[in-house]
Each structure stands twice: as C-alpha cells, then as structure tokens.
Amino acid sequence: MEDRSVAVVDGQRVVEDAEGNRFVLVPEQRYRALQEAERATRPDRRTVVLTAREREVLQLVADGCPGSVVAERFGLAANTVAQHLAAVRRKYGVRSSAAAAVLAREDGLIS
C-alpha cells in the first residue's frame, strides 16, 4: 500500500492511502499536546457510574460480541445497544467503545 501526499498545511502533511483514507501527520510535540488537552477534558474516572445494563452491554462488547449479538442476547433493539454504548463513551469521555472497555476494566466495572 503506497501513501501519497495530498497537501501540506501549516507544517502538517496530509496523506492518502490507496483506499482513499486521509491521515494528518503532525509533529510529535503537537500530538502530545493534543493528547494532554483531550485528557484534561475527560471526566474524573472516580465519578463514572455505569448502570447494570451499561456494564452488561459493555462486557459483551469487550468480549468481542458485535452489537447485533448483544441486542439479540438481551432482547433489545440494536439502536438501544448503540445508545447504551454511546452513554458509556460519553461518561468516560472517549470516542470508542474499546477505549471505554479498557477504562472500565481498569476501574473494576467489567472483567
């Protein structure tokens, strides 16, 4: 897979791969500053409280079950499962359910 440069803006290079995905390359110092800023906006993990259903849904997703399987197992609509996962991500201040699962494991909320 060969990347090709698309643009250079303010010292940041935008590259595009063969599938058309674009990536912005930034200096490491800027990347670390962005990470720190994101951490600063996350809620205090000690205050994160998940409902029993959110923990159940997150546990199955963390174990590798797709949302459709989780929905079927609990007799829920797929959209309801998605809403539970969105609530968990929001509570943890992360963008992915995988990241939320890692934090929930660290906090002892799921195994």
Side-chain angles (χ1 to χ4, degrees):
M1 173 171 69
E2 183 178 314
D3 292 341
R4 60 184 169 87
S5 179
V6 174
V8 177
V9 179
D10 296 329
Q12 299 176 25
R13 183 173 302 271
V14 179
V15 294
E16 185 175 285
D17 65 16
E19 288 84 37
N21 300 305
R22 291 186 177 188
F23 304 90
V24 178
L25 304 178
V26 297
E28 185 172 357
Q29 183 178 3
R30 175 72 177 132
Y31 176 71
R32 294 206 185 281
L34 290 169
Q35 282 183 316
E36 196 56 42
E38 183 179 340
R39 273 190 219 106
T41 61
R42 285 187 189 156
D44 183 355
R45 285 179 36 196
R46 294 173 295 190
T47 63
V48 172
V49 177
L50 301 181
T51 66
R53 182 62 84 189
E54 288 168 347
R55 286 193 311 271
E56 292 170 335
V57 168
L58 188 59
Q59 180 66 63
L60 288 178
V61 169
D63 291 342
C65 290
S68 58
V69 172
V70 175
E72 186 177 315
R73 184 167 297 177
F74 291 126
L76 302 171
N79 189 51
T80 302
V81 170
Q83 291 302 314
H84 285 307
L85 293 171
V88 171
R89 290 190 305 269
R90 187 173 47 256
K91 289 177 181 183
Y92 272 113
V94 296
R95 294 180 185 220
S96 74
S97 297
V102 167
L103 296 174
R105 274 197 176 116
E106 288 175 2
D107 292 347
L109 298 177
I110 63 172
S111 59

